[in-house]
Amino acid sequence: MLKLMRSAFLSSVFVAVAFTGAYAQTDLSIEQVKDGLYAIIGSGGNVGVRVTDEGVILIDDKFPRNFAEIQELVGTVSDLPVRYVINTHHHGDHAGGNVEYINIAEIIAHQNARDNMVRGNQDAPPRMVFTDQTAIYLGGVEVRAFYMGRGHTNGDAVIYFPDLRTVHGGDLLHGIAPFIDYGNGGSSKGWVETMNNILALDFDTAIPGHGAIMGREDVMNFRNQMEAVRLRMADLIRSGMPKSQASDRIRTPSLSWTMAENGLFMQRSIPGFYDEIAGELP
Ligand SMILES: [Zn+2]
């Protein structure tokens, strides 16, 4: 952070102003999820904080501007340094903090997530990647990262805390409505299968990429809505709906995602979603 500020600002006066501003604009808070597991909520993706006797493991690191406050909030639950960061995927609200954490911790992501970062010219892609699964063993704690298939992107990591029966789903789980990033390998068909794989894990609690902590039922409901919205789009296309009407006609009060504001998540995904479903029909 200091290095960045020194290069970004020419005088100490501006550093002081920028620092105050950074704190004034932010709205982060930390809440306990389980013993030894916390979530940092607010601007950007939800950060998982797994505390061990040998250091801290973070799941995601929000935007670069959030680094100082993440560090401060981690400091309220552990005196030990952040040793590892696992990126759930490449999006800047989840992996943007890599530009700072790359200097003090080992960052790990799925190979495809790293490829997406490199293709998108994102700073500080991880030095370590995995393909099927990997794990960190630190201070007697196991944190496992799985690749369970396509969904939000083609490089989503599902993080599993087996002793706590908890998962961090990244943006495979979303509190309002999901975004299918077709430009980076997203797939609604893959997403349902990936959800089935997540549900095969033994867990009772889930940290979503955005929104409030979920229970297993919420994760099941999320999976079911993905399936339902796919069936609805297929029915509409079969009835002859042109792509230009999909955004309006997909809306139905029984599927909360389709009612999310225009421009948000599901709505943003609609053109690609139409093409994906149309391509599946005989
Ligand atoms: Zn995302």
Side-chain angles (χ1 to χ4, degrees), residues 88-94 152-153 156 170-172 179 181 210:
T88 59
H89 62 296
H90 72 283
H91 288 155
D93 55 335
H94 296 261
H152 178 57
T153 70
D156 303 299
D171 282 353
L172 287 168
F179 167 53
D181 186 351
H210 300 266

Side-chain angles (χ1 to χ4, degrees), residues 42-112:
S43 153
N46 291 334
V47 172
V49 182
R50 184 68 172 105
V51 173
T52 86
D53 293 342
E54 293 177 358
V56 174
I57 302 165
L58 290 190
I59 315 304
D60 286 342
D61 52 25
K62 296 184 183 283
F63 297 104
R65 65 171 181 272
N66 299 125
F67 174 72
E69 197 180 10
I70 291 172
Q71 286 291 91
E72 188 176 283
L73 290 172
V74 169
T76 66
V77 296
S78 174
D79 295 330
L80 297 174
V82 173
R83 299 274 302 275
Y84 296 93
V85 178
I86 306 176
N87 294 146
T88 59
H89 62 296
H90 72 283
H91 288 155
D93 55 335
H94 296 261
N98 285 8
V99 293
E100 302 289 346
Y101 278 107
I102 197 88
N103 299 314
I104 61 168
E106 209 55 70
I107 303 176
I108 304 168
H110 188 267
Q111 177 74 62
N112 294 346

Side-chain angles (χ1 to χ4, degrees), residues 3 60 81 98 105 114 143 162 193 214 227 251 267 274 279:
K3 198 172 73 184
D60 286 342
N98 285 8
R114 188 183 192 282
V143 177
E193 291 156 16
M214 294 177 165
E227 190 163 62
R251 291 164 67 87
Q267 289 294 324
Y274 182 100

Side-chain angles (χ1 to χ4, degrees), residues 31 37 44 59-60 73 75 83 97 106 113 145 151 158 162 189 191 193 195 199 212 215 224 246 248 255 258 262:
E31 65 178 66
L37 178 64
I59 315 304
D60 286 342
L73 290 172
R83 299 274 302 275
E106 209 55 70
V158 176
K189 184 171 197 284
W191 206 320
E193 291 156 16
M195 292 304 301
L199 284 159
N224 290 344
D248 288 330
L255 297 172
T258 66
N262 273 348

Side-chain angles (χ1 to χ4, degrees), residues 34 46 80 86 96 104 107 109 115 129 143 188 213 221 227 252 265 278 280:
K34 291 272 178 89
N46 291 334
L80 297 174
I86 306 176
I104 61 168
I107 303 176
D115 291 347
V129 296
V143 177
S188 73
I213 305 303
N221 290 339
E227 190 163 62
T252 176
F265 305 103
E280 290 175 13

Side-chain angles (χ1 to χ4, degrees), residues 123-198:
D123 291 329
R127 288 179 288 249
M128 297 179 69
V129 296
F130 71 99
T131 50
D132 294 335
Q133 60 171 298
T134 190
I136 298 167
Y137 293 89
L138 187 68
V141 167
E142 176 184 350
V143 177
R144 194 156 282 278
F146 291 103
Y147 180 67
M148 293 186 151
R150 292 165 65 192
H152 178 57
T153 70
N154 63 358
D156 303 299
V158 176
I159 314 306
Y160 185 44
F161 308 95
D163 56 324
L164 305 178
R165 300 182 65 224
T166 299
V167 298
H168 189 311
D171 282 353
L172 287 168
L173 297 175
H174 196 287
I176 299 168
F179 167 53
I180 308 167
D181 186 351
Y182 286 102
N184 288 287
S187 159
S188 73
K189 184 171 197 284
W191 206 320
V192 173
E193 291 156 16
T194 297
M195 292 304 301
N196 292 341
N197 292 334
I198 294 174

